[in-house]
Amino acid sequence: MKGYRYSPDWPQLALSKKQSVGWVCERCGVQCLKPGDGKGLLKEERYRLRMAVHHCDYDPSNNSSSNLMALCSPCHLYYHRRQRGNISLGQLSLEFY
């Protein structure tokens, strides 16, 4: 899906989606961190609890509410690993130190 771009209002759309689900992953139900939360957690724990907004059709220009899913990082990675959507190599890889 090369050539697709995120809209200029994507940060606000993504934040609104996350807020609308109470920062709870729509796939696994884990409570994710809100901005500023997670102090004192290890880096990998913060990553695991970070929320992303996923485009179900893998088209970042399609921001219809029915196309967006709020997911924790591992669930977001799960969808992209299965479909090989609009990510580049290593973009969603987990790093552990």
Coordinates of all heavy atoms in Angstrom, one line a residue:
M1 N 0.8 -1.2 0.0 CA 0.0 0.0 0.0 C 0.9 1.3 0.0 O 0.6 2.2 0.7 CB -0.9 0.0 1.2 CG -1.9 -1.1 1.3 SD -3.5 -0.4 1.3 CE -4.4 -1.7 0.7
K2 N 1.9 1.3 -0.8 CA 2.8 2.4 -0.9 C 2.0 3.6 -1.4 O 1.1 3.5 -2.2 CB 4.0 2.1 -1.7 CG 4.9 1.1 -1.1 CD 6.1 0.9 -2.0 CE 7.0 -0.2 -1.2 NZ 8.2 -0.5 -1.9
G3 N 2.5 4.8 -0.9 CA 1.9 6.0 -1.4 C 0.8 6.6 -0.4 O 0.4 7.7 -0.5
Y4 N 0.3 5.7 0.4 CA -0.8 6.2 1.4 C -0.1 7.0 2.5 O 0.9 6.7 3.0 CB -1.5 5.0 2.0 CG -2.5 4.4 1.0 CD1 -2.2 3.1 0.5 CD2 -3.6 5.0 0.5 CE1 -3.0 2.5 -0.4 CE2 -4.4 4.4 -0.4 CZ -4.2 3.1 -0.8 OH -5.0 2.5 -1.7
R5 N -0.8 8.1 2.8 CA -0.2 9.0 3.9 C -1.3 9.2 5.0 O -2.5 9.1 4.7 CB 0.1 10.3 3.3 CG 1.2 10.2 2.2 CD 2.5 10.2 2.8 NE 3.5 10.1 1.8 CZ 4.4 9.2 1.7 NH1 4.5 8.2 2.5 NH2 5.3 9.2 0.7
Y6 N -0.8 9.4 6.1 CA -1.7 9.8 7.3 C -2.1 11.2 7.1 O -1.4 12.1 6.6 CB -0.9 9.7 8.6 CG -0.6 8.3 8.9 CD1 0.6 7.6 8.5 CD2 -1.5 7.5 9.7 CE1 0.8 6.3 8.9 CE2 -1.3 6.2 10.0 CZ -0.1 5.6 9.6 OH 0.2 4.3 10.0
S7 N -3.4 11.5 7.4 CA -3.9 12.9 7.3 C -3.3 13.8 8.3 O -2.8 13.3 9.4 CB -5.4 12.8 7.5 OG -5.8 12.4 8.8
P8 N -3.3 15.1 8.1 CA -2.6 16.0 9.0 C -3.3 16.0 10.4 O -2.6 16.3 11.4 CB -2.9 17.4 8.4 CG -3.1 17.1 6.9 CD -3.7 15.7 6.9
D9 N -4.6 15.6 10.5 CA -5.3 15.5 11.8 C -5.2 14.2 12.4 O -5.8 13.9 13.4 CB -6.7 16.0 11.6 CG -7.5 15.1 10.7 OD1 -6.9 14.3 9.9 OD2 -8.8 15.2 10.8
W10 N -4.3 13.3 11.9 CA -4.2 11.9 12.5 C -3.9 11.9 14.0 O -4.5 11.1 14.7 CB -3.1 11.1 11.7 CG -2.9 9.8 12.3 CD1 -1.7 9.3 12.9 CD2 -3.8 8.7 12.5 NE1 -1.9 8.1 13.4 CE2 -3.2 7.7 13.2 CE3 -5.2 8.6 12.2 CZ2 -3.8 6.5 13.5 CZ3 -5.8 7.4 12.5 CH2 -5.2 6.4 13.2
P11 N -2.9 12.7 14.5 CA -2.7 12.7 15.9 C -3.9 12.9 16.8 O -4.2 12.2 17.7 CB -1.6 13.8 16.2 CG -0.9 13.9 14.9 CD -2.0 13.6 13.8
Q12 N -4.8 13.8 16.4 CA -6.0 14.1 17.1 C -7.0 13.0 16.9 O -7.7 12.5 17.9 CB -6.6 15.4 16.7 CG -7.9 15.8 17.5 CD -7.6 15.8 19.0 OE1 -6.7 16.3 19.5 NE2 -8.5 15.1 19.8
L13 N -7.1 12.4 15.7 CA -8.0 11.3 15.5 C -7.6 10.1 16.3 O -8.5 9.4 16.9 CB -8.0 10.9 14.0 CG -8.7 11.9 13.0 CD1 -8.4 11.5 11.6 CD2 -10.2 12.0 13.2
A14 N -6.3 9.8 16.3 CA -5.9 8.7 17.1 C -6.1 8.9 18.6 O -6.6 7.9 19.3 CB -4.4 8.4 16.8
L15 N -5.8 10.1 19.1 CA -6.1 10.3 20.5 C -7.6 10.2 20.8 O -7.9 9.6 21.9 CB -5.6 11.7 20.9 CG -5.8 12.2 22.3 CD1 -5.1 11.3 23.3 CD2 -5.4 13.6 22.5
S16 N -8.4 10.7 20.0 CA -9.9 10.6 20.2 C -10.3 9.1 20.2 O -11.2 8.7 21.1 CB -10.7 11.3 19.1 OG -10.4 12.7 19.2
K17 N -9.8 8.3 19.4 CA -10.1 6.9 19.3 C -9.7 6.2 20.6 O -10.4 5.4 21.2 CB -9.5 6.2 18.1 CG -9.7 4.7 18.0 CD -11.2 4.4 17.9 CE -11.5 2.9 17.8 NZ -12.9 2.6 17.7
K18 N -8.5 6.5 21.1 CA -7.9 5.9 22.3 C -8.8 6.3 23.5 O -9.2 5.5 24.3 CB -6.5 6.3 22.5 CG -5.5 5.8 21.5 CD -4.2 6.5 21.7 CE -3.2 6.1 20.5 NZ -2.0 6.8 20.6
Q19 N -9.2 7.6 23.5 CA -10.0 8.0 24.6 C -11.4 7.4 24.6 O -12.0 7.1 25.6 CB -10.1 9.6 24.6 CG -8.9 10.3 24.9 CD -8.9 11.8 24.6 OE1 -9.6 12.2 23.8 NE2 -8.1 12.5 25.3
S20 N -11.9 7.2 23.4 CA -13.3 6.6 23.3 C -13.4 5.2 23.8 O -14.5 4.8 24.1 CB -13.8 6.7 21.8 OG -13.1 5.7 21.0
V21 N -12.3 4.5 23.9 CA -12.3 3.1 24.4 C -11.7 3.0 25.8 O -11.5 1.9 26.3 CB -11.6 2.1 23.4 CG1 -12.3 2.1 22.1 CG2 -10.1 2.4 23.3
G22 N -11.5 4.2 26.4 CA -10.9 4.2 27.7 C -9.5 3.7 27.9 O -9.2 3.2 28.9
W23 N -8.8 3.7 26.8 CA -7.4 3.2 26.7 C -7.3 1.7 27.0 O -6.4 1.2 27.6 CB -6.5 4.0 27.7 CG -6.4 5.5 27.3 CD1 -7.3 6.4 27.6 CD2 -5.4 6.1 26.5 NE1 -6.9 7.6 27.1 CE2 -5.8 7.5 26.4 CE3 -4.3 5.6 25.8 CZ2 -5.0 8.4 25.6 CZ3 -3.5 6.5 25.1 CH2 -3.9 7.9 25.0
V24 N -8.4 1.0 26.6 CA -8.4 -0.5 26.7 C -8.3 -1.1 25.3 O -9.1 -0.7 24.4 CB -9.7 -0.9 27.4 CG1 -9.9 -2.4 27.4 CG2 -9.8 -0.4 28.8
C25 N -7.4 -2.0 25.2 CA -7.2 -2.7 23.9 C -8.5 -3.4 23.4 O -9.1 -4.1 24.2 CB -6.0 -3.7 24.0 SG -5.7 -4.6 22.5
E26 N -8.8 -3.1 22.2 CA -10.1 -3.7 21.6 C -9.9 -5.2 21.2 O -10.9 -5.8 20.9 CB -10.6 -2.9 20.4 CG -11.0 -1.5 20.9 CD -11.6 -0.7 19.7 OE1 -10.9 -0.1 19.0 OE2 -12.9 -0.8 19.5
R27 N -8.7 -5.7 21.3 CA -8.5 -7.1 20.9 C -8.4 -8.0 22.2 O -9.0 -9.0 22.3 CB -7.3 -7.3 20.0 CG -7.0 -8.7 19.7 CD -5.9 -8.9 18.6 NE -5.7 -10.3 18.3 CZ -4.7 -11.0 18.9 NH1 -3.8 -10.5 19.7 NH2 -4.6 -12.3 18.5
C28 N -7.5 -7.5 23.1 CA -7.2 -8.4 24.3 C -7.7 -7.9 25.6 O -7.8 -8.6 26.6 CB -5.7 -8.7 24.4 SG -4.8 -7.2 25.0
G29 N -8.2 -6.6 25.6 CA -8.8 -6.0 26.8 C -7.8 -5.5 27.8 O -8.2 -5.1 28.9
V30 N -6.5 -5.4 27.5 CA -5.5 -4.9 28.5 C -5.7 -3.4 28.6 O -6.0 -2.7 27.7 CB -4.1 -5.3 28.1 CG1 -3.6 -4.5 26.9 CG2 -3.1 -5.1 29.2
Q31 N -5.5 -2.9 29.9 CA -5.6 -1.5 30.1 C -4.2 -0.9 29.7 O -3.2 -1.2 30.3 CB -5.9 -1.2 31.6 CG -5.9 0.2 32.0 CD -7.0 1.0 31.4 OE1 -8.2 0.6 31.6 NE2 -6.7 2.0 30.6
C32 N -4.3 0.0 28.8 CA -3.0 0.6 28.3 C -2.8 1.9 29.0 O -3.6 2.4 29.8 CB -3.2 0.9 26.8 SG -3.2 -0.6 25.8
L33 N -1.6 2.4 28.8 CA -1.1 3.6 29.5 C -1.6 4.9 28.8 O -1.6 4.9 27.6 CB 0.4 3.7 29.6 CG 1.1 2.5 30.3 CD1 2.6 2.6 30.1 CD2 0.7 2.6 31.8
K34 N -2.0 5.8 29.6 CA -2.4 7.2 29.0 C -1.1 7.9 29.0 O -0.1 7.6 29.7 CB -3.4 7.9 29.9 CG -4.7 7.2 30.0 CD -5.6 7.9 31.0 CE -6.9 7.1 31.2 NZ -7.7 7.5 32.3
P35 N -1.0 9.0 28.2 CA 0.2 9.8 28.1 C 0.6 10.3 29.5 O -0.2 10.7 30.3 CB -0.2 11.0 27.2 CG -1.3 10.5 26.4 CD -2.0 9.5 27.2
G36 N 1.9 10.1 29.8 CA 2.4 10.5 31.1 C 2.4 9.4 32.2 O 3.0 9.5 33.2
D37 N 1.6 8.3 31.9 CA 1.5 7.2 32.8 C 2.7 6.3 32.6 O 3.4 6.3 31.6 CB 0.3 6.3 32.6 CG -1.0 7.0 33.1 OD1 -0.9 8.1 33.7 OD2 -2.1 6.5 32.9
G38 N 3.0 5.4 33.5 CA 4.0 4.3 33.3 C 5.3 4.7 33.9 O 6.3 3.9 33.8
K39 N 5.4 5.8 34.7 CA 6.7 6.1 35.3 C 7.0 5.0 36.3 O 6.2 4.5 37.0 CB 6.7 7.4 36.0 CG 6.6 8.6 34.9 CD 6.5 9.9 35.6 CE 6.5 11.1 34.6 NZ 5.8 10.9 33.4
G40 N 8.3 4.5 36.3 CA 8.6 3.4 37.2 C 8.6 2.1 36.6 O 9.1 1.1 37.1
L41 N 8.0 2.0 35.4 CA 7.9 0.7 34.7 C 9.1 0.5 33.8 O 9.7 1.5 33.4 CB 6.7 0.6 33.8 CG 5.3 0.6 34.5 CD1 4.2 0.7 33.4 CD2 5.1 -0.6 35.4
L42 N 9.5 -0.7 33.6 CA 10.6 -1.0 32.7 C 10.2 -0.6 31.2 O 9.0 -0.6 30.9 CB 11.0 -2.4 32.7 CG 11.6 -3.0 34.0 CD1 11.7 -4.5 34.0 CD2 12.9 -2.3 34.4
K43 N 11.2 -0.3 30.4 CA 10.9 0.1 29.0 C 10.1 -0.9 28.3 O 9.1 -0.5 27.6 CB 12.3 0.3 28.3 CG 12.1 0.9 26.9 CD 13.5 1.1 26.3 CE 13.3 1.6 24.9 NZ 14.6 1.9 24.2
E44 N 10.3 -2.2 28.4 CA 9.5 -3.1 27.7 C 8.1 -3.2 28.2 O 7.2 -3.5 27.5 CB 10.2 -4.5 27.7 CG 10.4 -5.2 29.0 CD 11.7 -4.9 29.6 OE1 12.5 -4.0 29.1 OE2 12.1 -5.6 30.6
E45 N 7.9 -2.9 29.5 CA 6.5 -2.9 30.1 C 5.8 -1.7 29.5 O 4.6 -1.8 29.2 CB 6.6 -2.8 31.6 CG 7.1 -4.1 32.2 CD 7.3 -3.9 33.7 OE1 7.9 -2.9 34.2 OE2 6.9 -4.9 34.5
R46 N 6.5 -0.6 29.5 CA 5.8 0.6 28.9 C 5.4 0.4 27.4 O 4.4 0.8 27.0 CB 6.7 1.9 29.0 CG 6.7 2.5 30.4 CD 7.4 3.8 30.4 NE 8.6 3.9 29.7 CZ 9.8 3.7 30.1 NH1 10.0 3.3 31.4 NH2 10.9 3.8 29.4
Y47 N 6.3 -0.2 26.7 CA 6.1 -0.5 25.3 C 4.8 -1.5 25.2 O 4.0 -1.2 24.3 CB 7.3 -1.2 24.6 CG 6.9 -1.5 23.2 CD1 7.1 -0.6 22.2 CD2 6.4 -2.8 22.8 CE1 6.7 -0.9 20.8 CE2 6.1 -3.1 21.5 CZ 6.2 -2.1 20.5 OH 5.9 -2.4 19.2
R48 N 4.8 -2.5 26.0 CA 3.7 -3.5 25.9 C 2.4 -2.8 26.2 O 1.3 -3.2 25.7 CB 4.0 -4.6 26.9 CG 3.6 -5.9 26.5 CD 4.0 -7.1 27.4 NE 4.8 -6.8 28.6 CZ 4.3 -6.5 29.8 NH1 3.0 -6.6 30.0 NH2 5.0 -6.3 30.8
L49 N 2.4 -1.8 27.0 CA 1.1 -1.1 27.4 C 0.9 0.2 26.7 O -0.1 0.9 27.0 CB 1.2 -0.8 29.0 CG 1.3 -2.1 29.8 CD1 1.5 -1.7 31.3 CD2 0.1 -3.0 29.7
R50 N 1.6 0.4 25.7 CA 1.4 1.6 24.8 C 0.3 1.3 23.8 O 0.2 0.2 23.3 CB 2.7 2.0 24.1 CG 2.6 3.3 23.4 CD 3.9 3.8 22.9 NE 4.5 2.7 22.0 CZ 5.8 2.7 21.7 NH1 6.6 3.6 22.2 NH2 6.2 1.8 20.9
M51 N -0.5 2.3 23.6 CA -1.7 2.1 22.7 C -1.4 2.7 21.3 O -0.8 3.7 21.2 CB -2.9 2.7 23.3 CG -4.2 2.5 22.4 SD -5.7 2.7 23.3 CE -6.0 1.0 23.8
A52 N -1.8 1.9 20.3 CA -1.8 2.4 18.9 C -3.2 2.3 18.3 O -4.0 1.6 18.8 CB -0.8 1.5 18.1
V53 N -3.4 3.1 17.2 CA -4.6 3.0 16.5 C -4.3 2.3 15.2 O -3.5 2.8 14.4 CB -5.3 4.3 16.4 CG1 -6.6 4.2 15.6 CG2 -5.6 4.9 17.8
H54 N -5.0 1.2 14.9 CA -4.8 0.4 13.7 C -5.9 0.7 12.7 O -7.0 0.8 13.0 CB -4.9 -1.1 14.2 CG -4.8 -2.0 13.1 ND1 -3.7 -2.2 12.3 CD2 -5.7 -2.9 12.6 CE1 -3.9 -3.2 11.4 NE2 -5.1 -3.6 11.5
H55 N -5.4 0.8 11.4 CA -6.3 0.9 10.3 C -6.6 -0.6 9.8 O -5.8 -1.3 9.3 CB -5.7 1.7 9.1 CG -5.5 3.1 9.4 ND1 -4.4 3.6 10.1 CD2 -6.4 4.2 9.2 CE1 -4.6 4.9 10.2 NE2 -5.7 5.3 9.7
C56 N -7.9 -1.0 10.0 CA -8.3 -2.4 9.7 C -8.0 -2.8 8.2 O -7.7 -3.9 7.9 CB -9.7 -2.6 10.0 SG -10.0 -2.4 11.8
D57 N -8.1 -1.8 7.3 CA -7.9 -2.1 5.9 C -6.4 -1.8 5.5 O -6.1 -1.8 4.3 CB -8.9 -1.4 5.0 CG -8.7 0.1 5.0 OD1 -7.8 0.7 5.7 OD2 -9.5 0.8 4.2
Y58 N -5.6 -1.4 6.5 CA -4.2 -1.1 6.2 C -4.0 0.1 5.4 O -2.9 0.3 4.8 CB -3.4 -2.3 5.7 CG -3.5 -3.5 6.6 CD1 -4.5 -4.4 6.5 CD2 -2.5 -3.6 7.6 CE1 -4.6 -5.5 7.4 CE2 -2.6 -4.7 8.5 CZ -3.6 -5.6 8.4 OH -3.7 -6.7 9.3
D59 N -5.0 1.0 5.3 CA -4.9 2.2 4.5 C -4.9 3.4 5.4 O -6.0 3.7 5.9 CB -6.1 2.2 3.5 CG -6.1 3.5 2.7 OD1 -5.3 4.4 2.9 OD2 -7.1 3.7 1.9
P60 N -3.8 4.0 5.7 CA -3.8 5.1 6.7 C -4.5 6.4 6.2 O -4.7 7.3 7.0 CB -2.3 5.4 6.9 CG -1.6 4.7 5.8 CD -2.5 3.7 5.2
S61 N -5.0 6.4 5.0 CA -5.8 7.5 4.6 C -7.3 7.3 4.8 O -8.1 8.2 4.7 CB -5.6 7.8 3.1 OG -6.1 6.8 2.3
N62 N -7.7 6.1 5.2 CA -9.1 5.8 5.5 C -9.3 5.9 7.0 O -9.1 4.9 7.7 CB -9.4 4.4 5.0 CG -10.9 4.0 5.3 OD1 -11.6 4.8 5.8 ND2 -11.2 2.8 4.9
N63 N -9.8 7.0 7.5 CA -10.0 7.3 8.9 C -11.4 7.2 9.3 O -11.8 7.7 10.4 CB -9.4 8.6 9.3 CG -7.9 8.6 9.1 OD1 -7.2 7.7 9.4 ND2 -7.4 9.7 8.6
S64 N -12.2 6.4 8.6 CA -13.6 6.2 9.0 C -13.6 5.5 10.4 O -12.7 4.6 10.6 CB -14.4 5.5 8.0 OG -14.0 4.2 7.9
S65 N -14.5 5.8 11.3 CA -14.5 5.2 12.6 C -14.6 3.6 12.5 O -14.0 2.9 13.3 CB -15.6 5.7 13.5 OG -16.9 5.5 12.9
S66 N -15.3 3.1 11.5 CA -15.4 1.7 11.4 C -14.1 1.0 10.9 O -14.0 -0.2 11.0 CB -16.5 1.3 10.4 OG -16.2 1.8 9.1
N67 N -13.1 1.8 10.5 CA -11.9 1.3 10.0 C -10.8 1.4 11.1 O -9.7 0.9 10.9 CB -11.4 2.0 8.8 CG -10.2 1.4 8.1 OD1 -10.2 0.2 8.0 ND2 -9.2 2.2 7.8
L68 N -11.1 2.0 12.2 CA -10.0 2.2 13.2 C -10.3 1.3 14.5 O -11.4 1.1 14.9 CB -10.1 3.6 13.7 CG -9.8 4.7 12.6 CD1 -9.9 6.1 13.2 CD2 -8.5 4.5 11.9
M69 N -9.2 0.7 15.0 CA -9.2 -0.1 16.2 C -8.1 0.3 17.1 O -6.9 0.5 16.7 CB -8.9 -1.6 15.8 CG -10.0 -2.5 15.8 SD -9.4 -4.1 15.3 CE -9.5 -5.0 16.8
A70 N -8.4 0.5 18.4 CA -7.4 0.9 19.4 C -6.8 -0.4 20.0 O -7.6 -1.2 20.4 CB -8.0 1.7 20.5
L71 N -5.5 -0.5 19.8 CA -4.8 -1.8 20.2 C -3.6 -1.5 21.1 O -2.9 -0.5 20.9 CB -4.4 -2.5 19.0 CG -5.4 -2.9 17.9 CD1 -4.8 -3.4 16.7 CD2 -6.4 -4.0 18.5
C72 N -3.3 -2.4 22.0 CA -2.0 -2.4 22.6 C -0.9 -2.7 21.6 O -1.2 -3.3 20.5 CB -1.9 -3.4 23.8 SG -2.0 -5.1 23.3
S73 N 0.3 -2.4 21.9 CA 1.4 -2.6 21.0 C 1.5 -4.1 20.5 O 1.7 -4.3 19.3 CB 2.7 -2.1 21.5 OG 2.7 -0.7 21.6
P74 N 1.5 -5.0 21.4 CA 1.6 -6.4 20.9 C 0.5 -6.8 20.0 O 0.7 -7.5 19.0 CB 1.6 -7.3 22.2 CG 2.1 -6.4 23.3 CD 1.6 -5.0 22.9
C75 N -0.8 -6.4 20.2 CA -1.9 -6.7 19.3 C -1.7 -6.0 18.0 O -2.0 -6.6 17.0 CB -3.2 -6.4 20.0 SG -3.7 -7.5 21.3
H76 N -1.2 -4.8 18.0 CA -1.0 -4.0 16.8 C 0.1 -4.8 16.0 O -0.1 -5.0 14.7 CB -0.6 -2.6 17.1 CG -0.6 -1.7 15.9 ND1 0.2 -0.7 15.8 CD2 -1.4 -1.7 14.8 CE1 0.0 0.0 14.6 NE2 -1.0 -0.6 14.0
L77 N 1.1 -5.2 16.6 CA 2.2 -6.0 15.9 C 1.6 -7.2 15.4 O 1.9 -7.6 14.2 CB 3.3 -6.3 16.9 CG 4.5 -7.1 16.4 CD1 5.1 -6.3 15.2 CD2 5.4 -7.4 17.5
Y78 N 0.7 -7.9 16.1 CA 0.1 -9.2 15.6 C -0.6 -8.9 14.3 O -0.4 -9.7 13.3 CB -0.9 -9.6 16.7 CG -1.9 -10.7 16.2 CD1 -1.5 -12.1 16.2 CD2 -3.1 -10.4 15.7 CE1 -2.3 -13.0 15.7 CE2 -4.0 -11.4 15.3 CZ -3.6 -12.7 15.3 OH -4.4 -13.7 14.8
Y79 N -1.4 -7.9 14.2 CA -2.1 -7.6 12.9 C -1.2 -7.4 11.8 O -1.4 -7.8 10.7 CB -3.1 -6.5 13.1 CG -4.4 -6.9 13.7 CD1 -4.7 -6.5 15.0 CD2 -5.3 -7.7 13.1 CE1 -5.9 -6.9 15.6 CE2 -6.5 -8.1 13.7 CZ -6.8 -7.7 15.0 OH -7.9 -8.0 15.6
H80 N -0.1 -6.6 12.0 CA 0.8 -6.2 11.0 C 1.7 -7.4 10.6 O 2.1 -7.5 9.4 CB 1.6 -5.0 11.3 CG 0.8 -3.7 11.1 ND1 0.7 -3.1 9.9 CD2 0.1 -3.0 12.0 CE1 -0.1 -2.1 10.0 NE2 -0.5 -2.0 11.2
R81 N 2.1 -8.2 11.5 CA 2.9 -9.4 11.2 C 2.1 -10.3 10.3 O 2.7 -11.0 9.5 CB 3.3 -10.1 12.5 CG 4.5 -9.4 13.1 CD 5.7 -10.3 13.0 NE 6.9 -9.5 13.3 CZ 7.6 -9.7 14.4 NH1 7.3 -10.6 15.3 NH2 8.7 -9.0 14.6
R82 N 0.8 -10.5 10.6 CA 0.0 -11.4 9.8 C -0.3 -10.9 8.4 O -0.3 -11.6 7.4 CB -1.4 -11.6 10.5 CG -1.3 -12.4 11.7 CD -2.7 -12.7 12.3 NE -3.5 -13.4 11.4 CZ -4.8 -13.0 11.1 NH1 -5.3 -12.0 11.7 NH2 -5.5 -13.7 10.3
Q83 N -0.5 -9.6 8.2 CA -0.9 -9.0 6.9 C 0.3 -8.4 6.1 O 0.1 -8.1 4.9 CB -2.0 -8.0 7.1 CG -3.3 -8.5 7.5 CD -3.9 -9.4 6.4 OE1 -3.6 -9.2 5.2 NE2 -4.7 -10.4 6.8
R84 N 1.4 -8.1 6.8 CA 2.4 -7.3 6.1 C 1.9 -6.1 5.5 O 2.1 -5.8 4.3 CB 3.2 -8.2 5.1 CG 3.7 -9.4 5.6 CD 5.0 -9.1 6.4 NE 5.6 -10.4 6.9 CZ 6.3 -10.4 7.9 NH1 6.6 -9.4 8.6 NH2 6.8 -11.6 8.3
G85 N 1.2 -5.3 6.3 CA 0.5 -4.1 5.8 C 1.4 -3.0 5.5 O 2.4 -3.2 4.8
N86 N 1.1 -1.8 6.0 CA 1.9 -0.6 5.6 C 3.0 -0.3 6.5 O 3.3 0.9 6.8 CB 0.9 0.6 5.5 CG 0.3 0.9 6.9 OD1 0.2 0.0 7.8 ND2 -0.2 2.1 7.1
I87 N 3.8 -1.3 6.9 CA 4.9 -1.1 7.8 C 6.2 -1.4 7.1 O 6.2 -2.2 6.1 CB 4.8 -1.9 9.1 CG1 4.8 -3.4 8.7 CG2 3.6 -1.5 9.9 CD1 5.0 -4.3 9.9
S88 N 7.3 -0.8 7.5 CA 8.6 -1.1 7.0 C 9.2 -2.1 8.0 O 8.9 -2.2 9.1 CB 9.4 0.1 6.8 OG 9.5 0.8 8.1
L89 N 10.3 -2.8 7.5 CA 11.0 -3.8 8.3 C 11.5 -3.1 9.6 O 12.1 -2.1 9.6 CB 12.2 -4.3 7.5 CG 12.9 -5.4 8.1 CD1 12.0 -6.7 8.4 CD2 14.1 -5.8 7.3
G90 N 11.1 -3.8 10.7 CA 11.5 -3.3 12.0 C 10.7 -2.2 12.6 O 10.9 -1.8 13.8
Q91 N 9.7 -1.7 11.9 CA 9.0 -0.5 12.4 C 8.2 -0.9 13.7 O 8.1 -0.1 14.6 CB 8.0 0.0 11.4 CG 7.1 1.1 11.8 CD 6.2 1.6 10.7 OE1 6.2 1.2 9.6 NE2 5.3 2.5 11.1
L92 N 7.7 -2.1 13.8 CA 6.9 -2.5 15.0 C 7.6 -3.6 15.8 O 7.0 -4.2 16.6 CB 5.5 -3.0 14.5 CG 4.6 -1.9 13.9 CD1 3.3 -2.6 13.4 CD2 4.3 -0.8 14.8
S93 N 8.9 -3.7 15.6 CA 9.6 -4.8 16.4 C 9.7 -4.4 17.8 O 9.8 -3.2 18.2 CB 11.0 -5.0 15.8 OG 11.8 -3.9 15.9
L94 N 9.7 -5.4 18.7 CA 9.9 -5.2 20.1 C 11.4 -5.2 20.4 O 12.2 -6.0 19.9 CB 9.3 -6.4 20.9 CG 7.8 -6.5 20.8 CD1 7.3 -7.8 21.5 CD2 7.1 -5.3 21.5
E95 N 11.8 -4.2 21.3 CA 13.2 -4.1 21.7 C 13.2 -4.4 23.2 O 12.5 -3.8 23.9 CB 13.8 -2.8 21.4 CG 13.9 -2.5 19.9 CD 14.4 -1.1 19.6 OE1 15.1 -0.5 20.5 OE2 14.2 -0.6 18.5
F96 N 14.1 -5.2 23.6 CA 14.3 -5.5 25.0 C 15.7 -5.3 25.4 O 16.7 -5.7 24.7 CB 13.9 -7.0 25.3 CG 12.5 -7.3 25.1 CD1 12.0 -7.8 24.0 CD2 11.5 -6.9 26.1 CE1 10.7 -8.1 23.7 CE2 10.2 -7.1 25.9 CZ 9.8 -7.7 24.7
Y97 N 15.9 -4.6 26.5 CA 17.3 -4.3 27.0 C 17.5 -4.8 28.3 O 16.7 -5.0 29.1 CB 17.5 -2.7 27.0 CG 17.4 -2.1 25.7 CD1 16.2 -1.6 25.2 CD2 18.5 -2.0 24.9 CE1 16.1 -1.0 24.0 CE2 18.4 -1.4 23.6 CZ 17.2 -0.9 23.2 OH 17.2 -0.3 22.0

